[in-house]
């Protein structure tokens, strides 16, 4: 299994280090990286009607609705050949079942809420307020965690501990890829 030929989903609660790990994996395996959070922040900055809608939702800590998410993801997947790593999608079970693309594997970075919130408070992003972070964590547990069982039942879920240093987490993910490659 060559990771560059797979569509890999990188999941974890807000602040779990998905973006950091995504960037490291893209460099190591020559994957294409799709970061929905970054895409949404870019759209929010445009001032268009869609941008204003997304900005309001992000600032209040809400998830972007499924229909908007499908349109944004579909647009960003067009023209990509080979595998890619997607960070921040799916966020709901409905999105996971939508089948916009063939999922090769799902890497879940597991991190306790209190550590994730402490990490996010160190970032300087306008959508990272204590109130919005608490809402985002609640939404993650309610909406996103059921996706883990969905992918586990398919044998596609791999869990790594998100508490160690960045390099250790990266090495854990690389070991998963190597082990999967042996099979």
């Amino acid at each position: 299994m060559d990771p560059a030929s797979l569509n890999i989903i990188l999941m974890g609660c807000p602040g779990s280090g998905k973006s950091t790990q995504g960037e490291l994996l893209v460099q190591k395996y020559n994957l294409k990286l799709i970061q929905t959070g970054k895409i949404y922040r870019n759209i929010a900055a445009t001032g268009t009607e869609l941008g204003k809608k997304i900005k309001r939702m992000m600032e209040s800590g809400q998830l972007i609705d499924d229909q908007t998410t499908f349109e944004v993801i579909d647009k960003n997947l067009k023209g990509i050949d080979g595998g890619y790593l997607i960070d921040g999608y799916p966020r709901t079970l409905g999105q996971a079942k939508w089948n916009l693309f063939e999922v090769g594997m799902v890497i879940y970075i597991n991190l306790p809420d209190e550590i994730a919130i402490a990490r996010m408070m160190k970032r300087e992003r306008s959508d990272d307020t204590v109130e919005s972070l608490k809402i985002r964590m609640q939404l993650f547990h309610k909406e996103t965690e059921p996706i883990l069982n969905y992918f586990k039942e398919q044998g596609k879920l791999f869990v790594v501990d998100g508490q160690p240093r960045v390099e250790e987490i990266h090495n854990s993910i690389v070991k998963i890829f190597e082990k999967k490659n042996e099979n």
Side-chain angles (χ1 to χ4, degrees):
M1 182 246 14
D2 175 16
S5 67
L6 289 178
N7 299 326
I8 301 165
I9 294 174
L10 191 57
M11 293 186 70
C13 67
S16 63
K18 296 180 303 293
S19 296
T20 300
Q21 292 303 321
E23 289 168 9
L24 291 171
L25 293 167
V26 163
Q27 291 171 8
K28 182 166 181 68
Y29 293 107
N30 197 29
L31 294 161
K32 293 145 193 94
L33 178 61
I34 299 168
Q35 295 174 302
T36 59
K38 188 175 189 176
I39 292 167
Y40 289 142
R41 284 188 295 280
N42 289 340
I43 293 171
T46 64
T48 63
E49 285 305 310
L50 177 60
K52 290 175 188 174
K53 173 184 173 183
I54 288 174
K55 184 176 181 177
R56 278 191 308 274
M57 295 179 87
M58 289 176 68
E59 287 177 347
S60 68
Q62 296 176 35
L63 294 178
I64 309 302
D65 64 275
D66 286 355
Q67 189 56 45
T68 302
T69 298
F70 295 143
E71 291 169 14
V72 169
I73 297 300
D74 190 50
K75 179 181 177 185
N76 282 275
L77 293 179
K78 287 197 184 320
I80 294 180
D81 294 325
Y84 49 83
L85 185 124
I86 190 161
D87 159 11
Y89 176 89
R91 293 278 173 97
T92 67
L93 191 55
Q95 290 174 11
K97 292 180 176 182
W98 188 256
N99 294 328
L100 281 176
F101 54 88
E102 177 64 33
V103 176
M105 66 189 313
V106 177
I107 304 294
Y108 174 61
I109 303 172
N110 190 16
L111 187 68
D113 290 5
E114 60 275 3
I115 295 173
I117 290 173
R119 285 183 183 175
M120 288 186 293
M121 291 308 297
K122 292 178 184 175
R123 311 187 297 200
E124 293 184 11
R125 284 196 351 213
S126 63
D127 58 317
D128 284 347
T129 64
V130 174
E131 297 79 25
S132 71
L133 294 176
K134 287 181 180 177
I135 292 169
R136 288 167 60 195
M137 294 306 276
Q138 290 170 349
L139 281 170
F140 174 78
H141 293 298
K142 179 182 175 195
E143 299 288 342
T144 307
E145 281 186 342
I147 298 168
L148 300 176
N149 286 330
Y150 176 74
F151 286 121
K152 184 178 181 179
E153 290 170 1
Q154 296 177 22
K156 295 180 180 181
L157 179 67
F158 299 86
V159 180
V160 297
D161 182 0
Q163 294 185 65
R165 293 175 315 140
V166 169
E167 299 80 18
E168 292 176 58
I169 298 167
H170 177 71
N171 289 336
S172 295
I173 296 171
V174 168
K175 286 179 186 172
I176 290 169
F177 288 163
E178 290 171 356
K179 187 173 183 177
K180 187 93 168 137
N181 196 28
E182 292 171 0
N183 296 335

